[in-house]
Amino acid sequence: MHESWPEYIAKTAYGPALQTGRQSVALLEESWQLVRTVEYALDDIALVASLPHAPFGMGEAKRMPPPVLLPDTNVWVYLVDAGAVEILRKEAKRLGVTIAACPAVVYECLRAKLDPAAKKSRVDALTRGAWRRLMPEAYKESLEAFQVIKRARPDWVEPAPDLRRWMQIRADWDHGWWMRARRDTQAEAERIQLMDASDLDVTRSAAATRRQNARDAEITFDNIDFDVVAVPLSRPPWWDGQPVEPWRVEVATVLRHALAQANSPYRDWLSPWLRPSAVDEADWFRLWTRDATREEMPLAWLRWAFEHVQATRTTTNGTPVDNQIATYLPECDAFATSDKAFAECVEKVRPLSPVPLGRGCKVPAHEDAADALVDLMRDMAR
């Protein structure tokens, strides 16, 4: 077995001075992880700064081989039930295809009402080190928003941000959270249940309301229009009297609310970079409703677009999770799902997206899913 870098250093370069026991190795591992995290974070920020029309993790700038396949939650379930996870790993390696796992899918498995053994089997499959571990959607959406702020409202930017906690959270998402989910699945599931149960109820209720509104307006999957504008029902102070695209009001409202919540991940990722005293509410809304472009805010637009199209389909408890998963589509070349409606929604939105999206691929359910996934990877590898 190969030694890790910290173990090698502990045994060779510094010898007894480092007391090569578990504590020293653990400290070295932590230091090495912090170095890697700082490097990753700086790379993220540098890449965002260099790509004004393609935020971090999206678009052709990140479309480098090998091709990336993102399986939906239902596909992972079928793979686990069929005992085909290792087959997937071997075939992906042989074909040169990267399998991606996203936090939204892991969260959905952690929330599932299953016996602990079944839940752990699913989470173990998703948290393997062989997969590409994607960052949470709040991280990417916050970087997207920060890039717009830095361009259009530079006076809002904190010149000397305190990034100690930001770096700790970034490091945790790089490795720690995935290992906690794997090693102590039930505890992580209970933590998530306490953390987001009420939020999930709110988003499910909102999805049901949008579905009813679409029915009332006779908006269907076939006649839906994404090039829409609206006017507020009231006359908020920030409104200039002109129609506005709904996605803009949504992102302005969601971010404003999130930055005011102590436990919001958006606050964790975005607030260290901002000077709160410099942000005026009217100008905040003006930024997102008039100054930001769709090309600068593709994830915000995708959130709204998928909510919009999902409102034409039957609403389920998984609808809010599908909306989260949609923000990962720019990071893959193909998205595999057994949900026909979701695959159709992906294909409906994809031609209109401000950035390239992985194509939505419907695969059969149950024991046929593994073979279909291998066939899809063969097609991707051509």
Side-chain angles (χ1 to χ4, degrees):
M1 180 181 294
H2 295 292
E3 293 177 322
S4 69
W5 182 88
E7 287 172 336
Y8 174 79
I9 294 295
K11 291 181 180 178
T12 57
Y14 298 98
L18 283 178
Q19 300 176 3
T20 60
R22 289 184 178 180
Q23 184 176 6
S24 297
V25 172
L27 288 172
L28 284 169
E29 288 279 9
E30 183 178 349
S31 299
W32 180 240
Q33 185 64 41
L34 179 59
V35 170
R36 292 178 62 216
T37 299
V38 172
E39 290 172 348
Y40 293 158
L42 292 175
D43 287 346
D44 293 353
I45 296 165
L47 186 55
V48 170
S50 67
L51 300 173
H53 301 300
F56 170 65
M58 295 172 288
E60 295 297 338
K62 294 293 287 183
R63 292 296 177 88
M64 301 292 289
V68 178
L69 172 62
L70 177 64
D72 195 3
T73 308
N74 47 49
V75 175
W76 283 109
V77 170
Y78 298 140
L79 290 170
V80 171
D81 291 348
V85 177
E86 181 61 13
I87 294 173
L88 174 70
R89 185 195 68 79
K90 289 180 177 179
E91 285 298 300
K93 183 177 181 180
R94 182 179 69 82
L95 294 167
V97 174
T98 296
I99 304 297
C102 67
V105 170
V106 182
Y107 267 53
E108 190 168 21
C109 289
L110 287 168
R111 292 189 195 104
K113 297 185 183 302
L114 298 169
D115 67 82
K119 182 176 294 188
K120 180 158 178 58
S121 295
R122 294 182 185 182
V123 174
D124 282 353
L126 274 158
T127 55
R128 283 191 172 202
W131 320 138
R132 176 178 294 178
R133 295 167 173 173
L134 304 181
M135 289 292 289
E137 61 271 12
Y139 171 77
K140 297 174 295 181
E141 290 169 313
S142 296
L143 282 183
E144 178 179 89
F146 175 64
Q147 185 61 15
V148 174
I149 292 170
K150 190 167 67 168
R151 174 192 64 79
R153 300 293 190 275
D155 55 312
W156 292 4
V157 177
E158 172 60 55
D162 182 353
L163 298 179
R164 288 173 294 181
R165 187 166 184 271
W166 194 98
M167 290 295 186
Q168 289 173 350
I169 299 171
R170 180 63 175 81
D172 191 55
W173 274 109
D174 178 50
H175 181 72
W177 178 81
W178 297 87
M179 293 310 297
R180 282 199 308 279
R182 186 177 185 85
R183 291 174 179 171
D184 201 350
T185 303
Q186 191 57 33
E188 190 65 16
E190 291 171 359
R191 188 187 71 83
I192 289 171
Q193 185 67 28
L194 291 172
M195 180 179 66
D196 68 1
S198 60
D199 290 342
L200 203 57
D201 289 340
V202 170
T203 55
R204 285 169 176 163
S205 176
T209 300
R210 285 191 292 269
R211 174 64 175 143
Q212 186 58 52
N213 291 342
R215 284 198 184 108
D216 293 343
E218 298 183 348
I219 299 172
T220 68
F221 186 81
D222 292 328
N223 70 17
I224 192 170
D225 184 6
F226 292 90
D227 188 17
V228 297
V229 293
V231 296
L233 292 176
S234 62
R235 292 181 173 272
W238 54 264
W239 187 42
D240 59 8
Q242 298 300 312
V244 62
E245 293 171 291
W247 71 267
R248 295 176 173 277
V249 179
E250 184 169 307
V251 69
T253 304
V254 167
L255 287 178
R256 185 73 172 172
H257 175 75
L259 287 172
Q261 304 300 309
N263 60 346
S264 166
Y266 294 91
R267 177 177 175 136
D268 290 337
W269 293 122
L270 191 54
S271 63
W273 304 96
L274 303 181
R275 297 170 54 222
S277 60
V279 182
D280 171 76
E281 182 175 6
D283 199 28
W284 174 269
F285 278 90
R286 191 177 304 115
L287 169 63
W288 305 114
T289 58
R290 299 303 178 200
D291 297 341
T293 68
R294 182 183 298 188
E295 289 71 26
E296 289 177 307
M297 298 290 291
L299 295 183
W301 185 87
L302 284 172
R303 282 275 203 179
W304 168 82
F306 273 89
E307 287 177 352
H308 191 41
V309 72
Q310 284 173 320
T312 67
R313 297 301 180 96
T314 300
T315 300
T316 69
N317 283 344
T319 298
V321 180
D322 292 346
N323 185 266
Q324 289 179 293
I325 293 173
T327 65
Y328 296 93
L329 296 178
E331 298 178 80
C332 70
D333 297 280
F335 170 67
T337 180
S338 293
D339 184 342
K340 179 183 177 182
F342 192 15
E344 290 176 348
C345 287
V346 172
E347 290 306 288
K348 191 77 168 180
V349 172
R350 193 159 67 95
L352 305 172
S353 172
V355 291
L357 303 184
R359 69 185 193 273
C361 303
K362 167 70 168 64
V363 299
H366 305 297
E367 64 272 6
D368 294 329
D371 288 341
L373 215 57
V374 172
D375 289 341
L376 176 57
M377 288 192 296
R378 287 176 183 148
D379 180 63
M380 295 172 67
R382 289 175 186 166

